Amino acid sequence: QSALTQPPSASGSPGQSVTISCTGTSSDVGGYNSVSWYQQHSGKAPKLMIYEVSKRPSGVPDRFSGSKSGNTASLTVSGLQAEDEADYYCSSYAGSNNVVFGGGTKLTVL
Amino acid sequence: QMQLQESGPGLVKPSETLSLTCTVSGDSISSYYWSWIRQPPGKGLEWIGYIYFSGATNYNPSLKSRVTISRDTSKNQFSLKLSSVTAADTAVYYCARGGSAWSLDYWGQGTLVPVSS
């Protein structure tokens, strides 16, 4: 299984929206509605932000939303805030009880 | 309140076995499934494997020959053993709880394990 493909970096100004993509194959992202997104601030553990493609855990602001089209999933952060600056990772079920992560995207709030 | 805490030796020598334990509070490891994930310094996340509420396990194919995940339900702990380590196994190791649809909803703070002689 290969890692999912994410852009290394993304950026936006406060108040703007930014979208991060996560591209896989029909054997992972495209084959299951089991895409998750994690936020990781520097030196901290990852935090679950989105699961099952578009669901938000309790306490995650509705500025964070997820979607999927074909083999590509996306995380959109609307109304960017300084505290959103972090690394973001996608993951997907990849069949045979395996999970694969993306390489991560560093989001910068300008 | 759900909490996970990793513990283990702070340094492992090449060719030896890395051993870590995750202590869970606020939930029983006989429910849900529980995972190990690692992150080499400056790099991305890598899933290592799961142990299910039944005790069954599943591992990343790239690590399968070297990994064992086990549990002690009496202590509410689960453990990771990674054999024949090299410098490439230097990473922050996290334990986490498996949530809906293969997500990981609660994470430990992580522990850095250097592999060095």
Side-chain angles (χ1 to χ4, degrees):
Chain A
Q1 57 192 37
S2 299
L4 306 176
T5 300
Q6 297 181 234
S9 63
S11 62
S13 298
Q16 289 186 332
S17 293
V18 64
T19 297
I20 299 170
S21 62
C22 170
T23 301
T25 69
S26 58
S27 297
D28 38 62
V29 174
Y32 309 94
N33 287 325
S34 298
V35 176
S36 302
W37 289 91
Y38 301 89
Q39 177 190 66
Q40 186 180 35
H41 287 110
S42 180
K44 301 295 186 182
K47 174 187 176 183
L48 179 65
M49 304 300 284
I50 297 286
Y51 66 100
E52 289 185 38
V53 176
S54 59
K55 296 181 179 180
R56 280 187 309 276
S58 175
V60 173
D62 60 6
R63 303 185 293 103
F64 292 85
S65 61
S67 62
K68 189 185 82 167
S69 178
N71 297 336
T72 299
S74 298
L75 172 72
T76 298
V77 186
S78 305
L80 269 176
Q81 299 182 4
E83 67 208 51
D84 300 331
E85 185 161 295
D87 294 326
Y88 290 84
Y89 293 90
C90 62
S91 73
S92 175
Y93 180 63
S96 302
N97 295 332
N98 293 324
V99 170
V100 63
F101 281 98
T105 297
K106 182 176 182 61
L107 174 60
T108 300
V109 180
L110 302 170
Chain B
Q1 183 182 352
M2 183 71 194
Q3 290 188 330
L4 299 91
Q5 179 67 58
E6 304 89 352
S7 60
L11 179 69
V12 181
K13 291 182 169 57
S15 80
E16 295 187 343
T17 296
L18 179 159
S19 297
L20 293 172
T21 295
C22 182
T23 300
V24 178
S25 59
D27 203 350
S28 169
I29 64 167
S30 295
S31 304
Y32 297 97
Y33 57 100
W34 306 87
S35 182
W36 287 98
I37 306 96
R38 70 180 183 178
Q39 184 172 36
K43 296 187 178 181
L45 300 169
E46 179 180 33
W47 171 69
I48 298 173
Y50 283 105
I51 185 164
Y52 298 91
F53 54 85
S54 63
T57 54
N58 200 65
Y59 305 130
N60 185 325
S62 68
L63 298 170
K64 188 174 183 177
S65 64
R66 299 194 292 131
V67 172
T68 302
I69 297 176
S70 59
R71 65 179 184 172
D72 184 338
T73 55
S74 67
K75 296 181 180 179
N76 217 37
Q77 297 175 332
F78 65 104
S79 298
L80 168 70
K81 290 189 186 299
L82 181 66
S83 64
S84 304
V85 298
T86 69
D89 295 309
T90 293
V92 175
Y93 286 77
Y94 294 100
C95 59
R97 189 183 82 169
S100 175
W102 303 93
S103 64
L104 297 161
D105 57 4
Y106 290 94
W107 294 63
Q109 65 185 25
T111 186
L112 175 63
V113 182
V115 176
S116 175
S117 54

